[in-house]
């Protein structure tokens, strides 16, 4: 079956069929006739021939920092749903939080002529900005704010400040387990929200109240250990991710601390593990799947709109309060003295 045969059966010109196949303008009446013929005959247009005509591959490169992250998987789910509905395919690149791999994949996608890129990075170096400046296809930044680029990002600072203020209202020694501040969103913005909440609530601003780690459960255990040794009266712990919070809870329970009676704990992400850990974890719910969907729509608008407009979108959030934070009456706390490691 050829385009000429489709045109003859539908009673339209070859050019009309070509416009239909390439998403050009065709009246609704003719569009319906062509669609019916294609469905009846099972015609499959050649993607290679279409790509040569339109100079488009209908491929979208998506660069992510960690493939086994609960939050990233939700973003990718949103992206793939939108792209599939619009006839695009997704090429996924996992960097394992390696900024050099981000640069490598940006260059690889450019060489392989993808139509656009969604970049979910954690750190933007001078080299990143130079490569992006030289890019010839649209790029949307997901999960970070980057001036001059279309981006979809979370309100990390305000979410952290609001949750920290809620905890500080009932915790006299609130601490923070975070990640490197080179990560502007999860690292710097969540930490700044914590410090500003402490200041606003009148608590002492001591550097020993914050510990820095990585995005892993084990890091949460180490951070809780360091913070408890530096702050023996710690009665609240805000963690930059749910994984870090789970690690902290495992360590604290191993030290005989009761949650929330002795120490209240909260995280960010509203992941599955937050719901199954005992006690269930208080956390911030970000709309990650919706963020992925919006980033994909934003990119496709840049690709398919005659006069595209670059946009920035800050997503909302909600605090999910569970047993790791809830009030348990005036129950007496039990302090267990243990030796801190040297």
């Amino acid at each position: 079956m050829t385009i000429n045969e489709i045109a003859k059966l539908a009673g339209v010109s070859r050019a009309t069929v070509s416009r239909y196949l390439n998403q050009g303008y065709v009246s609704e009446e003719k569009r319906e006739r062509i669609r019916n013929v294609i469905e009846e005959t099972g015609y499959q247009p050649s993607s290679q021939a279409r790509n040569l005509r339109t100079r488009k591959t209908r491929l979208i490169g998506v660069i992510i920092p960690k493939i086994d992250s609960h939050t990233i998987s939700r973003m990718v789910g949103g992206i793939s749903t939108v792209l599939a509905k619009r006839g695009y395919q997704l090429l996924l690149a996992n960097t394992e939080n390696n900024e050099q791999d981000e640069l490598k994949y940006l260059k690889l996608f450019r060489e392989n002529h993808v139509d656009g890129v969604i970049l979910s990075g954690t750190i933007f170096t001078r080299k990143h900005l130079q490569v992006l400046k030289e890019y010839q296809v649209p790029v949307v930044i997901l999960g970070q704010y980057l001036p001059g680029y279309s981006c979809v990002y979370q309100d990390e600072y305000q979410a952290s400040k609001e949750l920290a203020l809620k905890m500080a209202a009932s915790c006299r020694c609130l601490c923070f387990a975070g990640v490197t501040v080179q990560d502007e969103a999860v690292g710097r913005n969540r930490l700044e929200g914590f410090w500003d909440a402490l200041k606003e609530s009148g608590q002492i601003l001591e550097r020993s109240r914050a510990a820095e780690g990585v995005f892993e459960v084990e890091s949460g255990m180490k951070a809780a250990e360091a913070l408890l040794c530096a702050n023996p009266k710690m009665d609240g712990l805000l963690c930059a991710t749910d994984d870090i919070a789970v690690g902290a809870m495992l360590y604290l329970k191993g030290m005989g601390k009761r949650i929330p009676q002795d120490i209240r704990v909260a995280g960010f992400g509203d992941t599955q593990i937050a719901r199954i850990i005992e006690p269930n974890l208080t956390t911030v719910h970000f709309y990650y799947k919706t963020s992925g969907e919006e980033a994909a729509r934003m990119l496709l608008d840049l690709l398919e709109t005659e006069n595209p407009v670059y946009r920035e979108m800050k997503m909302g959030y909600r605090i999910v309060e569970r047993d790791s934070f809830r009030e348990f009456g005036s129950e007496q706390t039990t302090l267990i003295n243990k030796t801190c490691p040297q």
Side-chain angles (χ1 to χ4, degrees):
M1 183 66 64
T2 65
I3 289 182
N4 288 332
E5 291 171 320
I6 294 292
K8 185 176 181 180
L9 290 171
V12 299
S13 68
R14 185 184 189 283
T16 301
V17 177
S18 180
R19 286 199 303 274
Y20 172 88
L21 294 174
N22 291 295
Q23 289 80 48
Y25 173 76
V26 177
S27 70
E28 188 57 38
E29 178 196 355
K30 293 180 179 179
R31 181 178 293 276
E32 184 65 23
R33 280 151 53 187
I34 296 170
R35 184 187 301 116
N36 289 337
V37 170
I38 289 176
E39 289 177 354
E40 291 172 2
T41 61
Y43 172 74
Q44 291 290 333
S46 167
S47 59
Q48 290 183 334
R50 184 173 64 241
N51 292 343
L52 287 173
R53 290 193 303 272
T54 63
R55 294 180 180 270
K56 289 187 176 181
T57 62
R58 302 194 77 78
L59 296 175
I60 301 297
V62 178
I63 301 174
I64 60 173
K66 203 167 180 62
I67 198 167
D68 59 352
S69 163
H70 307 288
T71 57
I72 295 298
S73 66
R74 282 150 64 184
M75 287 182 180
V76 173
I79 294 170
S80 62
T81 298
V82 172
L83 293 184
K85 288 181 179 178
R86 300 277 284 271
Y88 287 82
Q89 292 182 315
L90 180 154
L91 294 178
L92 193 63
N94 175 37
T95 68
E96 290 294 337
N97 284 310
N98 186 316
E99 61 188 68
Q100 294 304 314
D101 281 348
E102 289 178 355
L103 294 170
K104 179 184 72 175
Y105 283 122
L106 279 170
K107 293 175 182 177
L108 183 64
F109 282 151
R110 181 176 59 191
E111 293 167 0
N112 284 274
H113 307 293
V114 297
D115 291 344
V117 170
I118 297 175
L119 172 59
S120 178
T122 55
I123 300 172
F124 290 105
T125 66
R126 187 173 299 175
K127 288 183 179 179
H128 281 77
L129 299 179
Q130 184 60 39
V131 171
L132 289 172
K133 184 178 180 181
E134 297 170 355
Y135 239 61
Q136 299 300 311
V137 298
V139 177
V140 170
I141 308 300
L142 177 57
Q144 298 272 7
Y145 170 73
L146 187 63
Y149 291 87
S150 287
C151 48
V152 181
Y153 59 102
Q154 315 303 325
D155 195 353
E156 312 279 2
Y157 169 82
Q158 191 58 41
S160 179
K161 183 179 179 181
E162 182 178 340
L163 182 51
L165 281 171
K166 181 183 285 287
M167 297 182 74
S170 56
C171 299
R172 296 182 179 180
C173 184
L174 180 62
C175 296
F176 184 84
V179 298
T180 175
V181 293
Q182 287 183 293
D183 181 327
E184 183 173 347
V186 178
R188 185 180 309 155
N189 291 345
R190 293 182 188 180
L191 179 61
E192 288 181 356
F194 166 78
W195 285 129
D196 286 352
L198 242 59
K199 183 178 180 180
E200 190 171 313
S201 62
Q203 294 202 22
I204 300 173
L205 303 181
E206 295 178 334
R207 182 66 189 87
S208 63
R209 288 211 186 182
E212 184 179 298
V214 295
F215 296 85
E216 296 175 358
V217 171
E218 292 78 6
S219 181
M221 298 179 72
K222 293 178 181 177
E225 181 181 39
L227 289 168
L228 188 59
C229 287
N231 305 273
K233 294 183 179 181
M234 179 175 73
D235 58 356
L237 179 58
L238 177 58
C239 301
T241 72
D242 284 353
D243 281 352
I244 293 174
V246 167
M249 289 171 69
L250 291 174
Y251 171 79
L252 293 172
K253 286 193 287 186
M255 294 291 288
K257 298 293 184 180
R258 297 173 302 165
I259 301 169
Q261 295 95 326
D262 299 332
I263 300 179
R264 299 182 178 188
V265 181
F268 287 81
D270 194 18
T271 58
Q272 186 176 15
I273 197 171
R275 303 183 189 99
I276 62 177
I277 188 71
E278 183 61 39
N280 301 153
L281 180 65
T282 292
T283 184
V284 174
H285 179 92
F286 289 120
Y287 299 93
Y288 288 117
K289 184 176 181 180
T290 305
S291 300
E293 292 171 345
E294 292 295 344
R297 292 191 189 101
M298 199 175 282
L299 181 62
L300 295 182
D301 286 346
L302 293 175
L303 286 170
E304 299 175 352
T305 305
E306 186 174 348
N307 296 306
V309 176
Y310 290 84
R311 296 185 293 129
E312 301 168 359
M313 182 178 293
K314 182 191 289 185
M315 303 295 293
Y317 65 88
R318 60 186 172 89
I319 294 175
V320 182
E321 192 170 327
R322 298 194 179 103
D323 293 343
S324 70
F325 177 75
R326 288 177 177 145
E327 293 280 359
F328 275 73
S330 58
E331 191 172 347
Q332 294 293 316
T333 60
T334 302
L335 298 179
I336 300 178
N337 296 319
K338 298 229 178 177
T339 304
C340 294
Q342 300 299 315

